[in-house]
Amino acid sequence: MTVPTPSPVAFSPVAHPLRRLHVVTWGCQMNVYDSTRMADVLAPLGYGPAASVEDADMVILNTCHIREHATEKLFSELGRLRRVKDARRAAGARMLLAVAGCVAQAEGAEILRRAPYVDIVLGPQTYHRLPEMIAEAERAGRAVVDTEFPPESKFDHLPEAALPGGGATAFLAIQEGCDKFCSFCVVPYTRGVEASRPAAAVLAEARALVAAGAREITLLGQNVNAWHGEAPSGGAWTLARLLRALAEIPGLTRLRYTTSHPRDMDDELIAAHGELPALMPFLHLPVQSGADRILSAMNRRHTAADYRRIVERLRHARPDIALSSDFIVGYPGETAADFAATLTLAREIGFAQAYSFKYSPRPGTPAASAADQIPEREKEARLATLQDLLATQQRDFNARQVGRRLAVLITGRGRHPGQIAGRSPYLQAVHLAAPETLIGREIAVTIAAAGPRSLAGAWHPSPEEHAAA
Ligand code: SAH
Ligand code: SF4
Ligand code: F3S
């Protein structure tokens, strides 16, 4: 569920911002969601979007710790920002610099040792306290670090999200943290224990998002299908039950959830894929490896056969479901035969898209101290082989859409003038020439051509549709 490139956050505009905020986001969708929520927390203080970093009174770097290069990126970006901060100071302006997210949680005050010009370091669980941290940093003139796992939930202290004018698609965090402790992964340490938001809070936020223009909501969690939140009338709900309730919200036509763990794909959730038309036929279900010895060493607590069975049952419930996954190659002790088993599994399942990574030792995780680390060159060779296969599968899957009419949710302008863009039910990007007035609507698009990562389509409206557009 990673977003590979840093992206400036889109947040609700403040009419006349007193101060300008620039947020850079790395990592998973949860970080993208957190960035918008940090902007929501700061809006009442008069912060609105900055046109550029140079123009910002405050910069927040929302970081990811999942692989080594993610951490390196932070320090190179900080070096660049230091020069911007100095230039602003020379011109008589200030710039508060905050490091948030999973590197902040893992490294804490160590960040200040390497980058003493940082003003605020805050973990993913404390961003509701940002206004106090800013006040303290400004008053005391020294850095503030808050990487606690506080007893109160940040979700109870955030302003209502989603001012009018939000996009057609939105993220909604329903679960956070992880108790699975896969032996390669930092998430249980940076995000803390598994916690589920109550159903009523999720439903209220979903209604607010729909009122602001969202037609598609993606429920987020590090282990989203482990969600078991308090039900509105007491007791607990499962994710399948929550999805059923969300599907009843008028105007909410598309639902997705990510990231799921194979162990928590229960019967009710699999059945929901066959029962709820709003639940999109696309599921990101990380498998990591196709070899049982490696899955066991990774502490995944499922076998390759378990994964195949889940996919079979999902396809039985929803025959057109498209699958995505995460793979790690070169996990300590992975033999050529283990890697071959991963290729076999990928070939058998046939993924619509997938992410694959070289194993990256993370300090403090059990796998990092394993003796049988795989040489870098071998990891690179395996990754290239797997990525070739996965790219071919994605191209084939895209090519199979040509000639079909797909429901496309139009999310914004396209790459070229006169073009608009949206997403298919299978989460493919679709570009087409059609009026911008269609942004925010779901329309039937005939797919004319397929590229490696996107589709091109044509809209043939009926006279009524044409008039309405
Ligand atoms: N909660 C999700 C994934 C979270 S991290 C799950 O259970 O699958 C996203 C992906 O990053 C993982 O699925 C894994 O493929 C990859 N990843 C995590 N730690 C890694 C590491 N140390 N080295 C390489 N890839 C890693
Ligand atoms: Fe990491 Fe495993 Fe938890 Fe996913 S399930 S977040 S890979 S520890
Ligand atoms: Fe990265 Fe933290 Fe997400 S480590 S992948 S930002 S949970």
Side-chain angles (χ1 to χ4, degrees):
M1 68 185 242
T2 43
V3 177
T5 46
S7 47
V9 65
F11 47 81
S12 318
V14 174
H16 299 290
L18 299 171
R19 309 179 207 188
R20 295 173 199 283
L21 172 67
H22 184 79
V23 188
V24 178
T25 310
W26 290 287
C28 59
Q29 287 95 332
M30 184 70 89
N31 258 14
V32 176
Y33 174 84
D34 287 348
S35 289
T36 50
R37 299 317 316 267
M38 286 192 271
D40 290 337
V41 169
L42 295 179
L45 272 63
Y47 279 97
S52 67
V53 164
E54 287 73 20
D55 185 40
D57 300 295
M58 177 160 187
V59 174
I60 303 177
L61 300 180
N62 196 8
T63 61
C64 173
H65 200 47
I66 203 81
R67 284 168 292 276
E68 214 164 356
H69 66 90
T71 315
E72 283 158 18
K73 266 193 228 153
L74 164 67
F75 287 102
S76 79
E77 184 65 9
L78 279 175
R80 192 175 78 86
L81 286 172
R82 175 194 203 161
R83 291 191 288 278
V84 179
K85 185 172 174 161
D86 287 347
R88 277 180 67 86
R89 187 182 298 124
R94 300 194 48 196
M95 190 182 97
L96 275 177
L97 186 50
V99 178
C102 290
V103 179
Q105 188 63 47
E107 304 273 336
E110 176 63 16
I111 291 175
L112 297 177
R113 205 187 53 76
R114 282 184 67 178
Y117 45 88
V118 166
D119 300 289
I120 296 173
V121 176
L122 72 155
Q125 306 305 336
T126 52
Y127 57 73
H128 56 296
R129 298 180 180 168
L130 253 175
E132 297 152 47
M133 292 181 223
I134 292 176
E136 197 183 327
E138 284 179 336
R139 192 182 55 240
R142 61 180 152 71
V144 177
V145 179
D146 193 344
T147 52
E148 261 185 67
F149 287 106
E152 81 274 10
S153 164
K154 67 184 171 202
F155 293 116
D156 298 338
H157 293 81
L158 295 174
E160 188 165 296
L163 300 171
T169 62
F171 288 134
L172 200 176
I174 65 167
Q175 182 278 338
E176 198 168 7
C178 179
D179 297 340
K180 298 254 183 328
F181 290 92
C182 299
S183 40
F184 51 81
C185 183
V186 292
V187 171
Y189 310 95
T190 61
R191 292 277 173 168
V193 293
E194 236 173 66
S196 297
R197 290 177 74 188
V202 173
L203 291 167
E205 192 166 324
R207 285 192 201 98
L209 289 166
V210 172
R215 295 291 161 262
E216 174 179 302
I217 290 182
T218 303
L219 305 178
L220 296 181
Q222 269 86 31
N223 270 302
V224 72
N225 56 344
W227 182 87
H228 53 281
E230 188 187 322
S233 48
W237 272 3
T238 56
L239 179 61
R241 181 69 192 84
L242 179 67
L243 286 165
R244 289 204 295 275
L246 286 162
E248 283 169 16
I249 296 178
L252 180 51
T253 47
R254 292 178 161 210
L255 288 167
R256 304 178 186 275
Y257 58 93
T258 198
T259 298
S260 296
H261 193 288
R263 270 181 69 87
D264 295 315
M265 273 326 288
D266 61 34
D267 294 346
E268 193 192 1
L269 186 55
I270 292 174
H273 280 273
E275 292 160 5
L276 297 175
L279 191 52
M280 289 292 98
F282 176 90
L283 183 66
H284 181 65
L285 191 61
V287 64
Q288 316 297 359
S289 168
D292 287 345
R293 333 180 12 254
I294 297 298
L295 288 169
S296 162
M298 286 176 163
N299 192 31
R300 290 290 290 181
R301 289 179 285 167
H302 64 79
T303 63
D306 293 335
Y307 189 87
R308 287 183 172 90
R309 257 193 308 274
I310 293 165
V311 170
E312 201 177 295
R313 288 164 58 218
L314 279 163
R315 285 179 168 158
H316 184 73
R318 179 81 205 231
D320 70 332
I321 197 162
L323 291 153
S324 159
S325 202
D326 289 342
F327 293 87
I328 294 178
V329 301
Y331 184 82
E334 185 187 68
T335 62
D338 295 328
F339 177 60
T342 298
L343 293 175
T344 303
L345 180 130
R347 265 189 218 106
E348 277 177 29
I349 304 265
F351 289 96
Q353 66 135 78
Y355 302 95
S356 45
F357 313 99
K358 282 185 292 187
Y359 168 67
S360 168
R362 307 311 291 130
T365 60
S369 50
D372 39 6
Q373 300 289 330
I374 304 295
E376 197 57 25
R377 277 180 48 199
E378 186 56 38
K379 286 198 241 182
E380 273 162 18
R382 290 181 192 177
L383 186 65
T385 307
L386 178 60
Q387 289 190 336
D388 265 0
L389 171 63
L390 295 169
T392 307
Q393 293 191 338
Q394 183 168 3
R395 260 198 309 275
D396 290 351
F397 179 74
N398 288 347
R400 286 204 295 279
Q401 313 307 319
V402 175
R404 289 186 68 189
R405 253 164 89 82
L406 296 181
V408 175
L409 178 64
I410 304 299
T411 50
R413 293 198 185 102
R415 271 180 294 218
H416 306 292
Q419 265 197 351
I420 54 173
R423 45 171 75 160
S424 79
Y426 313 108
L427 211 54
Q428 295 146 301
V430 183
H431 299 270
L432 63 151
E436 282 182 18
T437 46
L438 293 171
I439 293 171
R441 282 177 48 191
E442 192 174 54
I443 57 171
V445 173
T446 305
I447 304 304
R453 291 176 176 277
S454 64
L455 304 175
W459 182 55
H460 304 293
S462 63
E464 303 80 61
E465 280 176 321
H466 197 272

